[in-house]
């Protein structure tokens, strides 16, 4: 097991005073068997009168707050402490055939299958096009176990697409990412979701953090980490398996889960509306610190 402390600081600076704002955040870690009872705190400045905490329809922790105090700077400082336990990856060849999982999603209505159904269909950032299906079916051949196919597709995305933080924004359609073969972790997670859903399967978008290691001989740079995104594929009786197309790996003991949804819109770390403000800048600092490291 590995223990982490995480700091995620977001700062908005405005050219003109903001007179009112309402915000929704996904800045608390999920309580999972592999990351049980995490401790998450959120400090907002200026301090709102109250913060309302709820659980959304996907089981994520959500915080709501509003500010009526005039301000030109808003800071959200989230801190986490969590212990990660090893994630058991099923033997890929022993997972159900992918076509059998598709059939299960169409015909069975047990709790496991019902919980997977929202992740079969298109969503705001994940819309089907023929190119996604054509690309995915090279991996999803007849009589192939689902995890073997999904791992092969993950590897192909990793080797075909170039990580380029200057190439896209959150509003860049994944059709454009498919055309340019460039993007970032959010793009690759949306892309893999679209490809897997195009085969009639369930795939959810996962938001969280990943612990990064400095090059040999180099010190860790405080605040140099970032939020991360990957996917989780429904494998029938084998359960959900996390796959990271940006790093060509399965979800492991360096992946820390904030939440999951159909796409980024369901688990945006911070979003809201404001009155006033004019031009603004946003600064985000993330530090994922292994304890004792």
């Amino acid at each position: 097991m590995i223990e982490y402390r995480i700091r995620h600081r977001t700062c908005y600076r405005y050219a003109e005073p903001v007179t009112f704002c309402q915000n929704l955040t996904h800045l608390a870690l999920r309580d999972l068997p592999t990351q049980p009872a995490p401790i998450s705190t959120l400090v907002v400045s200026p301090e709102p009168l109250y913060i309302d905490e709820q659980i959304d329809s996907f089981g994520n922790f959500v915080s709501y707050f509003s500010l009526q105090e005039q301000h030109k700077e808003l800071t959200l400082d989230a801190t986490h402490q969590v212990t990660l336990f090893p994630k058991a990856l099923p033997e890929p060849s022993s997972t159900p055939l992918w076509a059998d999982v598709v059939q299960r999603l169409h015909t069975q209505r047990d709790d496991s299958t019902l919980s997977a159904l929202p992740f079969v269909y298109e969503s705001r950032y994940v819309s089907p096009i023929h190119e996604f299906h054509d690309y995915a079916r090279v991996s999803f051949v007849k009589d192939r176990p689902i995890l073997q196919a999904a791992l092969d597709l993950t590897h192909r995305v990793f080797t075909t697409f170039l990580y380029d933080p200057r190439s896209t924004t959150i509003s860049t359609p994944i059709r454009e990412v498919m055309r340019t073969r460039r993007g970032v972790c959010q793009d690759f997670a949306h892309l893999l979701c679209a490809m897997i859903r195009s085969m009639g399967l369930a795939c959810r978008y996962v938001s969280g953090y990943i612990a990064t290691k400095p090059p040999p001989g180099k010190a860790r740079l405080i605040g140099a980490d970032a939020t991360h995104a990957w996917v989780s594929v429904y494998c029938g009786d084998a359960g959900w398996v996390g796959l990271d197309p940006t790093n060509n790996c399965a979800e492991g003991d360096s992946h820390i889960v904030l939440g999951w949804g159909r796409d980024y819109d369901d688990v945006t770390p911070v979003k809201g509306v404001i009155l006033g403000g004019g031009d603004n800048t946003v600064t985000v600092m993330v530090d994922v610190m292994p304890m004792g490291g």
Side-chain angles (χ1 to χ4, degrees):
M1 64 182 186
I2 304 176
E3 185 178 3
Y4 292 98
R5 285 185 180 171
I6 304 156
R7 184 182 183 190
H8 180 174
R9 187 174 190 270
T10 307
C11 183
Y12 296 86
R13 292 184 174 89
Y14 305 98
E16 304 293 335
V18 173
T19 57
F20 176 78
C21 72
Q22 286 189 324
N23 297 272
L24 177 154
T25 73
H26 291 89
L27 289 172
L29 300 179
R30 286 191 73 120
D31 184 0
L32 302 170
T34 54
Q35 57 175 54
I39 300 171
S40 295
T41 61
L42 177 63
V43 176
V44 180
S45 179
E47 184 178 0
L49 292 177
Y50 72 95
I51 296 180
D52 183 24
E53 298 178 343
Q54 299 183 18
I55 304 294
D56 69 13
S57 59
F58 301 112
N60 304 309
F61 293 97
V62 184
S63 296
Y64 303 87
F65 67 89
S66 63
L67 282 170
Q68 299 184 36
E69 173 185 341
Q70 190 175 103
H71 58 279
K72 294 185 69 174
E73 181 173 308
L74 173 65
T75 301
L76 297 91
D77 212 337
T79 57
H80 314 284
Q81 185 170 331
V82 62
T83 300
L84 296 193
F85 290 86
K87 298 176 175 69
L89 181 69
E91 170 56 44
S93 62
S94 69
T95 56
L97 302 183
W98 71 267
D100 290 346
V101 178
V102 173
Q103 181 69 13
R104 174 175 178 157
L105 288 165
H106 278 87
T107 60
Q108 296 190 28
R109 291 298 176 262
D110 56 278
D111 290 344
S112 172
T113 308
L114 285 172
S115 68
L117 286 179
F119 306 101
V120 174
Y121 306 105
E122 67 177 289
S123 54
R124 178 177 179 181
Y125 291 112
V126 180
S127 55
I129 60 172
H130 291 303
E131 291 94 327
F132 297 155
H133 179 77
D134 292 344
Y135 190 97
R137 68 181 181 182
V138 174
S139 297
F140 286 84
V141 295
K142 185 179 180 181
D143 295 333
R144 194 172 197 183
I146 184 171
L147 188 52
Q148 276 191 345
L151 284 166
D152 182 70
L153 181 60
T154 300
H155 175 72
R156 289 173 55 221
V157 169
F158 174 78
T159 55
T160 305
F161 292 77
L162 177 67
Y163 184 88
D164 182 357
R166 299 168 298 178
S167 63
T168 61
T169 68
I170 187 57
S171 62
T172 302
I174 52 174
R175 182 192 294 267
E176 181 68 10
V177 177
M178 188 72 179
R179 185 186 68 81
T180 63
R181 297 295 203 263
R182 293 172 178 267
V184 295
C185 60
Q186 290 174 347
D187 301 310
F188 301 153
H190 284 148
L191 197 68
L192 198 56
C193 279
M195 290 174 176
I196 291 173
R197 292 180 197 174
S198 77
M199 302 304 300
L201 295 162
C203 188
R204 60 194 185 196
Y205 177 100
V206 185
S207 172
Y209 307 102
I210 187 168
T212 57
K213 296 180 180 180
K218 300 290 185 180
R220 292 185 73 259
L221 297 177
I222 302 301
D225 296 314
T227 55
H228 192 49
W230 59 98
V231 309
S232 186
V233 182
Y234 179 66
C235 297
D237 290 336
W240 291 90
V241 179
L243 300 175
D244 183 346
T246 305
N247 295 292
N248 191 29
C249 65
E251 182 182 309
D253 60 8
S254 60
H255 291 79
I256 303 155
V257 178
L258 274 169
W260 57 63
R262 295 162 298 181
D263 57 32
Y264 174 81
D265 192 51
D266 287 333
V267 285
T268 306
V270 183
K271 63 180 176 181
V273 294
I274 64 172
L275 292 177
D279 294 334
N280 68 85
T281 60
V282 184
T283 304
V284 179
M285 183 202 78
V286 177
D287 188 48
V288 182
M289 175 69 75
M291 298 304 296

